[in-house]
Amino acid sequence: MKRTRILVLAGLLALITLSHYLVGGAQAGILHGLLGHLYILPIMVAAYWYGIKGGISVSIASSVLFSPHLFLHWRDPFLDIYNYVELFLFLFIGGVTGVLSQMERNQRLRYEEAISRLDESHRKLKEQTDVLFQTEEQLRRADRLSALGELSAGMAHEIRNPLGSIKGAVEIIKDDYAPDEAKYEFIQILLKETDRLNHIVQEFLGFARPKNPEFQFVDLNDSIDSVLTLTAQEARKAGVTVEKKLDPAVGKRSLDAGLLKQAFLNLVLNAIQAMPRGGVLTVESGLRNGAVEVKIADTGVGISEEDRKKLFSPFFTTKKNGTGLGLAITYRIIQNHRGTIDVASKRGKGATFTVTIPVS
């Protein structure tokens, strides 16, 4: 670019000089004078492109190319004065135009720097605003969890006692009927539903009274292996292929293996249930930036953006018979390990849950 501009300026000077000298001397009259004025064009262009240095340099070059007219052909004193004035104008125009161009360039740079600083300030303000919104949402979530926790604990306690009595009474009645009798089937259904209710109550209690982590040095990969063994049968029934990519470098870390098993079990079961027609479940572990990272990805139905916003809220579920507490409990377990859990998903393209837990 710079070389092209220099060639353009040199070409203009050469063309003007050649035209000026070919026209002749004083007898050429007005045309000769006008051609001399054309030197102003490359002077102004150079000043615009290169500032004061460019304007002065080209004005000096123009003066040198014009100066032979001081000694050739001129016999009229008026024309001698005119030529000296012309040289002065070249230098004057080159200097003034160069100064103005340099001032405009400096002002433009100041504007660009100011805009850049404003953009940076806007970006930082946006980041701080996002952090404030996230903090506010976390506080609201904590308030909801606290209120729901107290409510759940009271409800679970009130339900659990009569539920135990109901189950005990049904088991006693069960002994009065043979397996081939019609009422025996209804008793089995009653026991099954009682167990399901008891499981829901257990979830309520687990949510309402979360267990504090008991940190011990354990191998996280062993916990993940244990979860995959527990869910292997369900994965086979659903036609799900499990791909395991566990990094041995994770090693033993200070964690609560029992709670993390519960968290990963919830995530793996959700992933399997998201692939009713089969698919691939990928479980990865590794170290990244001083933290253990576990990814659980499926190729299932995916999660809509609207559902992702409420995914870890208590009692939110998209399952027909779900309680909406599994992911809320998982979120709390990871949070109690000073970690984070994120989800990336698109409808019809599966979902990836990423658990990050800082380790020393």
Side-chain angles (χ1 to χ4, degrees):
M1 184 68 176
K2 185 176 180 182
R3 184 178 179 184
T4 303
R5 288 181 173 181
I6 292 173
L7 290 174
V8 169
L9 291 173
L12 284 173
L13 289 172
L15 180 63
I16 293 169
T17 302
L18 183 63
S19 302
H20 196 207
Y21 279 92
L22 286 176
V23 168
Q27 68 276 12
I30 295 174
L31 180 59
H32 190 77
L34 290 174
L35 288 171
H37 291 324
L38 286 179
Y39 281 111
I40 295 173
L41 176 61
I43 291 172
M44 295 183 71
V45 171
Y48 178 75
W49 281 347
Y50 298 108
I52 189 168
K53 291 182 180 179
I56 293 294
S57 299
V58 175
S59 64
I60 292 173
S62 299
S63 299
V64 171
L65 293 172
F66 185 84
S67 59
H69 290 78
L70 299 175
F71 310 105
L72 299 175
H73 307 300
W74 312 122
R75 296 291 181 269
D76 189 338
F78 175 75
L79 291 176
D80 287 342
I81 293 172
Y82 172 82
N83 288 326
Y84 282 117
V85 171
E86 190 84 9
L87 291 176
F88 171 76
L89 283 174
F90 290 165
L91 295 171
F92 178 77
I93 291 171
V96 171
T97 310
V99 168
L100 292 174
S101 176
Q102 192 68 46
M103 288 174 65
E104 186 272 337
R105 184 177 300 173
N106 292 339
Q107 188 67 24
R108 187 171 68 249
L109 288 174
R110 284 195 290 270
Y111 286 150
E112 289 175 354
E113 289 175 0
I115 291 171
S116 178
R117 288 195 297 270
L118 283 173
D119 288 341
E120 181 65 18
S121 299
H122 179 266
R123 186 186 63 80
K124 289 181 178 178
L125 182 61
K126 188 175 182 300
E127 288 179 354
Q128 291 170 356
T129 303
D130 290 341
V131 169
L132 285 174
F133 279 131
Q134 290 173 3
T135 304
E136 182 184 12
E137 179 59 30
Q138 288 175 356
L139 288 173
R140 286 178 180 174
R141 186 190 296 248
D143 288 341
R144 289 198 300 268
L145 290 176
S146 177
L148 289 170
E150 292 178 9
L151 176 64
S152 300
M155 288 178 60
H157 180 73
E158 291 300 321
I159 293 171
R160 198 175 187 184
N161 290 337
L163 198 61
S165 300
I166 292 170
K167 185 177 180 181
V170 172
E171 286 179 341
I172 293 172
I173 295 172
K174 176 185 172 184
D175 294 336
D176 296 335
Y177 295 91
D180 58 346
E181 292 187 52
K183 291 184 179 180
Y184 188 86
E185 182 181 352
F186 292 105
I187 292 173
Q188 289 291 95
I189 293 172
L190 189 57
L191 286 172
K192 183 179 178 182
E193 291 303 309
T194 304
D195 288 337
R196 188 173 72 85
L197 283 173
N198 190 54
H199 175 71
I200 292 173
V201 170
Q202 283 293 114
E203 283 197 333
F204 271 86
L205 287 173
F207 170 73
R209 299 171 182 169
K211 179 186 173 185
N212 290 325
E214 296 178 2
F215 294 101
Q216 295 179 345
F217 280 93
V218 293
D219 192 329
L220 186 63
N221 288 339
D222 289 344
S223 299
I224 297 172
D225 270 327
S226 176
V227 168
L228 294 178
T229 301
L230 286 172
T231 56
Q233 182 63 24
E234 188 158 351
R236 279 195 295 271
K237 286 181 180 178
V240 173
T241 303
V242 179
E243 292 185 358
K244 187 170 58 174
K245 302 175 183 178
L246 306 182
D247 186 355
V250 170
K252 290 189 175 183
R253 305 287 171 175
S254 181
L255 305 164
D256 188 316
L259 288 178
L260 287 178
K261 276 184 186 179
Q262 183 182 355
F264 293 138
L265 181 61
N266 286 335
L267 294 176
V268 169
L269 286 175
N270 281 349
I272 293 172
Q273 291 163 8
M275 298 181 282
R277 299 182 180 178
V280 179
L281 170 66
T282 305
V283 182
E284 302 180 41
S285 70
L287 293 175
R288 186 186 297 273
N289 300 326
V292 172
E293 187 177 87
V294 178
K295 289 186 177 183
I296 298 173
D298 64 69
T299 58
V301 295
I303 306 167
S304 67
E305 185 176 353
E306 184 180 350
D307 287 347
R308 283 206 307 274
K309 295 176 182 178
K310 301 178 284 185
L311 204 57
F312 300 107
S313 298
F315 307 112
F316 172 77
T317 181
T318 57
K319 300 175 188 175
K320 186 177 179 180
N321 297 317
T323 62
L325 289 175
L327 286 178
I329 293 171
T330 298
Y331 181 87
R332 180 176 281 180
I333 290 171
I334 301 304
Q335 208 173 35
N336 287 342
H337 280 77
R338 306 181 309 280
T340 59
I341 178 168
D342 300 301
V343 58
S345 178
K346 286 185 179 180
R347 268 294 185 189
K349 296 187 177 180
T352 300
F353 286 81
T354 303
V355 174
T356 305
I357 300 173
V359 292
S360 56

